[in-house]
Amino acid sequence: MDQDSHCTAERELFEVVNRITAFSTKSPTDEEQNQAKAEISCQVRKENPEKDDLQVLDSRASLSPNSSMTTKELQEYWRNEKRQCRQVKLLFEIPSTRIVEHHLSKYVMYKIIILQTGSFDSNKSVIERRYSDFEKLHRNLLEEFSEEMEDVTFPKKTLTGNFTEEIINERKLAFKDYLRLLYSMKYIRRSKKFIDFLTRPELQEAYGCLRGGQYTKALEILLEVIGLQERLTRGNPASVVPTLCAIVVCHKDLENAASAFEYGEKALSRLRVHTSHRYYMPLLETMITLAYELGKDFLSLQEKLEEWKAKKDPVRVFTLKELAVREYVQ
């Protein structure tokens, strides 16, 4: 090999080495870094989605304008926020029936179990309805949602008093599919008529017990209903305030001040932007009394009450208990 060829080969080798060195020491661009981080983040979410959700919530909480909330209020707030991010559904099951004899007649009561999926709550609600209740619901819904229910078939009645096992089982399956179909329609599942079908009989019974001074029984029913009522009215949190306040009244009369205060806080949290609600001032007055009894801060509640009174004309205001006993009066 002559000298020129040798020099050319050395130069080419030197250039190759330089290119390799430069490539290995070159820092990645921002785009490459972001892509790598995104891939790692995606992998972490796949491996541990629950932890990722909590980290997101923690980061949002640190930037939240609601920094004046107590720790308990913040936990409840972000719990509700996370629930809204999940797809919540109700599942309807009708596992059993029972035959009731009343005034020389018989009818079947269908036991309905309502399960919630897609949230932290694993509670289930159990109610009972008869065929005539379903018929009334169907008529009421047709008055308001005739177009939406154009293709909805209501389980037909065969023969009056026909309580064979085969007929009852067919009816159970038909009503289960019927409820699922109704719930799949957004406007129907949010309607007062549908919600009343699933909650009103139990609430009427609970308020009847409350008016009769049977606070333990009333409380048992109200605590059963409130979970279902909250799940059905997520878009209108103030609608459950009367039930929460009835629970407060029951706990207070049963001398469970701590539990009464806990449910009172839940009711107040739903009235932050609804200070004109008829329950707002009576609830504040009750919460001040409970806070004083429990040795909690009642001055902030007192300030809210005075602020409310300054904005409103002095009118006759019922106590919390007086309002509660008036609910569901026929």
Side-chain angles (χ1 to χ4, degrees), residues 39-56:
E39 291 174 353
I40 294 173
S41 176
C42 181
Q43 183 65 27
V44 171
R45 282 196 296 271
K46 289 179 180 177
E47 294 175 356
N48 197 349
E50 190 70 21
K51 182 177 179 182
D52 181 66
D53 287 343
L54 292 174
Q55 289 174 344
V56 172

Side-chain angles (χ1 to χ4, degrees), residues 104-108 130-131 135 156-164 167 171:
L104 302 180
S105 64
K106 293 182 179 180
Y107 56 85
V108 179
R130 55 186 295 186
Y131 186 92
E135 275 187 320
K156 297 297 183 181
K157 205 168 189 175
T158 52
L159 296 174
T160 303
N162 191 338
F163 301 132
T164 64
I167 294 297
R171 191 71 55 74

Side-chain angles (χ1 to χ4, degrees), residues 273-300:
V273 294
H274 302 283
T275 56
S276 60
H277 198 283
R278 69 186 190 282
Y279 272 88
Y280 185 70
M281 182 178 176
L283 179 59
L284 275 178
E285 291 177 333
T286 300
M287 290 295 286
I288 291 170
T289 302
L290 290 169
Y292 182 80
E293 180 181 344
L294 294 168
K296 296 180 178 289
D297 172 33
F298 63 89
L299 294 179
S300 59

Side-chain angles (χ1 to χ4, degrees), residues 190-247:
R190 292 181 179 178
S191 68
K192 185 178 184 301
K193 293 175 181 178
F194 184 70
I195 294 171
D196 280 351
F197 170 77
L198 296 175
T199 61
R200 188 178 181 87
E202 286 71 25
L203 287 173
Q204 286 178 325
E205 182 184 359
Y207 279 100
C209 293
L210 192 157
R211 285 189 289 272
Q214 302 176 43
Y215 301 114
T216 301
K217 186 176 180 180
L219 183 60
E220 180 183 348
I221 300 172
L222 290 168
L223 291 175
E224 176 74 20
V225 174
I226 187 64
L228 176 60
Q229 196 177 18
E230 286 182 322
R231 294 194 290 270
L232 290 167
T233 59
R234 290 190 182 278
N236 183 18
S239 62
V240 300
V241 167
T243 306
L244 288 171
C245 288
I247 293 175

Side-chain angles (χ1 to χ4, degrees), residues 69-306:
M69 291 183 181
T70 64
T71 302
K72 184 176 180 180
E73 288 175 335
L74 279 171
Q75 290 173 343
E76 180 68 20
Y77 176 81
W78 287 117
R79 191 178 295 114
N80 290 334
E81 286 290 312
K82 189 171 182 182
R83 283 197 190 106
Q84 293 173 4
C85 294
R86 291 165 174 254
Q87 188 176 12
V88 178
K89 294 182 179 180
L90 296 183
L91 299 180
F92 298 90
E93 298 292 339
I94 304 181
S96 62
T97 60
R98 64 185 178 95
I99 298 177
V100 178
E101 295 189 20
H102 183 66
H103 296 311
L104 302 180
S105 64
K106 293 182 179 180
Y107 56 85
V108 179
M109 294 293 292
Y110 297 87
K111 180 181 179 181
I112 305 170
I113 296 179
I114 306 169
L115 301 169
Q116 182 182 13
T117 64
S119 86
F120 299 107
D121 300 328
S122 58
N123 295 336
K124 64 181 180 182
S125 300
V126 181
I127 62 177
E128 281 190 322
R129 297 294 182 266
R130 55 186 295 186
Y131 186 92
S132 59
D133 297 324
F134 282 97
E135 275 187 320
K136 183 178 179 181
L137 169 67
H138 193 72
R139 288 195 304 270
N140 290 338
L141 291 176
L142 281 175
E143 292 175 0
E144 188 175 353
F145 305 103
S146 57
E147 292 185 6
E148 289 84 348
M149 297 184 61
E150 186 176 8
D151 298 326
V152 178
T153 302
F154 183 77
K156 297 297 183 181
K157 205 168 189 175
T158 52
L159 296 174
T160 303
N162 191 338
F163 301 132
T164 64
E165 185 176 351
E166 182 181 1
I167 294 297
I168 291 176
N169 288 334
E170 288 179 1
R171 191 71 55 74
K172 285 195 302 184
L173 294 174
F175 278 141
K176 181 175 71 172
D177 293 338
Y178 177 73
L179 288 173
R180 288 178 175 177
L181 182 57
L182 292 182
Y183 185 75
S184 68
M185 302 178 190
K186 181 175 68 173
Y187 295 107
I188 290 180
R189 71 169 174 262
R190 292 181 179 178
S191 68
K192 185 178 184 301
K193 293 175 181 178
F194 184 70
I195 294 171
D196 280 351
F197 170 77
L198 296 175
T199 61
R200 188 178 181 87
E202 286 71 25
L203 287 173
Q204 286 178 325
E205 182 184 359
Y207 279 100
C209 293
L210 192 157
R211 285 189 289 272
Q214 302 176 43
Y215 301 114
T216 301
K217 186 176 180 180
L219 183 60
E220 180 183 348
I221 300 172
L222 290 168
L223 291 175
E224 176 74 20
V225 174
I226 187 64
L228 176 60
Q229 196 177 18
E230 286 182 322
R231 294 194 290 270
L232 290 167
T233 59
R234 290 190 182 278
N236 183 18
S239 62
V240 300
V241 167
T243 306
L244 288 171
C245 288
I247 293 175
V248 172
V249 170
C250 290
H251 274 306
K252 188 172 183 296
D253 279 35
L254 291 170
E255 298 183 356
N256 300 328
S259 297
F261 190 83
E262 177 186 349
Y263 280 92
E265 284 185 315
K266 292 181 180 180
L268 276 180
S269 70
R270 288 158 173 77
L271 293 180
R272 284 199 180 102
V273 294
H274 302 283
T275 56
S276 60
H277 198 283
R278 69 186 190 282
Y279 272 88
Y280 185 70
M281 182 178 176
L283 179 59
L284 275 178
E285 291 177 333
T286 300
M287 290 295 286
I288 291 170
T289 302
L290 290 169
Y292 182 80
E293 180 181 344
L294 294 168
K296 296 180 178 289
D297 172 33
F298 63 89
L299 294 179
S300 59
L301 295 169
Q302 186 70 47
E303 290 175 1
K304 290 181 180 179
L305 181 61
E306 296 301 327

Side-chain angles (χ1 to χ4, degrees), residues 2-17:
D2 59 17
Q3 187 174 3
D4 291 339
S5 300
H6 181 72
C7 290
T8 301
E10 285 184 342
R11 282 198 302 273
E12 291 177 350
L13 178 62
F14 181 74
E15 290 175 358
V16 170
V17 171

